[in-house]
Amino acid sequence: AATLGAISWFASMGLAAVLALTLAYFDVIADGLGVMVALTSTAFGTLLPIMRDSGLLETKFGRLFLPAGAWGELGPIIAI
């Protein structure tokens, strides 16, 4: 599951890079790297208590959500 989370985050980073570079090329944004990192960030900290309270963390989805959310939180910090 951690490998899937990493692959997903890096795929998101690739898509965000294409979008940010396109927007920077057309002078819509000034900081392509900042936008790219912001697009790959998650609301993991907000969703985690909601999922825990609803009992979803013990499901198959919850077991996939945790590593993906962890990469979504850690990846942008490393990228910065």
Side-chain angles (χ1 to χ4, degrees):
T3 303
L4 182 60
I7 291 168
S8 299
W9 185 79
F10 281 107
S12 295
M13 183 64 101
L15 292 172
V18 169
L19 178 62
L21 291 173
T22 301
L23 291 174
Y25 178 79
F26 289 108
D27 290 326
V28 176
I29 59 173
D31 182 16
L33 182 61
V35 171
M36 182 175 68
V37 170
L39 287 172
T40 63
S41 187
T42 66
F44 183 67
T46 305
L47 295 174
L48 188 60
I50 296 168
M51 292 193 60
R52 182 190 61 230
D53 292 346
S54 64
L56 290 173
L57 290 180
E58 293 81 28
T59 66
K60 183 177 179 180
F61 175 75
R63 289 188 296 277
L64 293 173
F65 171 79
L66 288 174
W71 269 100
E73 292 290 320
L74 181 63
I77 292 170
I78 293 171
I80 288 172

